[in-house]
Amino acid sequence: MKVLFVGPSLPDAARHVGPEISLRPPARQGDVMRALADGATAIGLIDGLFENVAPIWHKEILFALSNGIPVFGAASMGALRAAECAPFGMIGIGEIFADYAAGRRVEDADVALLHGPAEMNYPAVTVPMVNVEATLARAVALSLLSKAAAEDLIACARAIFYKERSWRTIIATAAFGWDNFSPILQAAAVDQKRLDALALVQALAQGHSPEMRQKDWIFNATPLWRTLYGVDA
């Protein structure tokens, strides 16, 4: 059984996975351990919770890896954890992961957005910075927007808290004019989180991954770890 933690990055995930993949909501601390206890043979991490609950713990990812369970990450929390745990064998997928891994992107908040509940299929209320930058880059590439204008819009977007960042607030802050920008957005919109999430689904389903180097580290079962989970390695 393969387990995929996913939510607002790919709200229609059920349409893209086969019966071999078990869908679970965005991960929080302890969810990887529960997946392992349920018999997971591979884990995909796309979305994770972080504000009102403890986020997914690096150590549980390391525990899975130390036991030979491949863990894939992309798009959102998955991209962050993959960049952090890649030296230990976690498999990062997609452009967002690549940017974090290379140091071109450093802010965790770049993947954050405000969204509705699972019961409403995670409707997006704000736009994440990664999608803002991907969309503006495409608009420049299509000659719909000058590079200077795109840079100004990016600077305005970064100045807005992620819970308040929408295209309308960005355009208003930049004094760009919504009527001028709306056609550009329609022509150039890029949902990079969705694209990377779809790439992870494909990799998880097919089991494709880079050649993994031989594990040269040992999982450290600290006293806290043993207290929480009662296992060593």
Side-chain angles (χ1 to χ4, degrees):
M1 175 186 67
K2 300 176 180 180
V3 172
L4 176 62
F5 295 100
V6 63
S9 294
L10 190 64
D12 59 342
R15 294 175 49 199
H16 302 280
V17 303
E20 77 281 4
I21 296 179
S22 172
L23 294 180
R24 301 195 179 185
R28 64 182 73 190
Q29 184 175 311
D31 281 349
V32 165
M33 293 302 291
R34 280 184 279 274
L36 294 174
D38 292 340
T41 57
I43 294 171
L45 176 61
I46 293 176
D47 292 307
L49 303 177
F50 65 92
E51 190 169 57
N52 299 316
V53 299
I56 195 71
W57 197 10
H58 301 77
K59 203 162 185 71
E60 53 192 306
I61 294 173
L62 298 181
F63 180 79
L65 295 170
S66 72
N67 283 275
I69 304 299
V71 183
F72 298 77
S76 193
M77 181 66 78
L80 296 174
R81 290 294 181 265
E84 294 155 346
C85 295
F88 302 95
M90 187 170 177
I91 304 159
I93 303 291
E95 295 295 324
I96 297 169
F97 157 75
D99 283 347
Y100 278 117
R104 292 187 295 269
R105 189 178 298 281
V106 296
E107 298 291 339
D108 290 4
D110 283 4
V111 296
L113 78 159
L114 188 64
H115 59 82
E119 293 78 9
M120 297 179 64
N121 209 27
Y122 303 105
V125 178
T126 60
V127 59
M129 203 62 221
V130 291
N131 287 358
V132 170
E133 293 181 344
T135 295
L136 294 177
R138 186 178 183 191
V140 171
L142 294 173
S143 299
L144 300 174
L145 195 67
S146 70
K147 185 177 180 181
E151 291 174 348
D152 184 42
L153 289 169
I154 288 172
C156 290
R158 284 204 169 275
I160 301 170
F161 182 48
Y162 83 89
K163 288 186 177 182
E164 300 172 353
R165 186 194 302 119
S166 67
W167 280 112
R168 285 190 177 274
T169 59
I170 295 168
I171 298 310
T173 302
F176 193 89
W178 180 254
D179 289 342
N180 293 327
F181 186 75
S182 181
I184 296 174
L185 181 59
Q186 292 180 25
V190 177
D191 188 343
Q192 192 62 52
K193 291 183 72 172
R194 178 179 179 84
L195 294 173
D196 287 5
L198 287 169
L200 184 147
V201 168
Q202 183 177 17
L204 182 63
Q206 297 178 352
H208 291 170
S209 65
E211 188 68 26
M212 293 180 64
R213 61 179 175 80
Q214 184 176 359
K215 187 169 78 71
D216 56 3
W217 55 276
I218 298 174
F219 181 81
N220 182 16
T222 61
L224 174 60
W225 176 266
R226 292 193 295 270
T227 297
L228 289 173
Y229 298 113
V231 293
D232 289 330

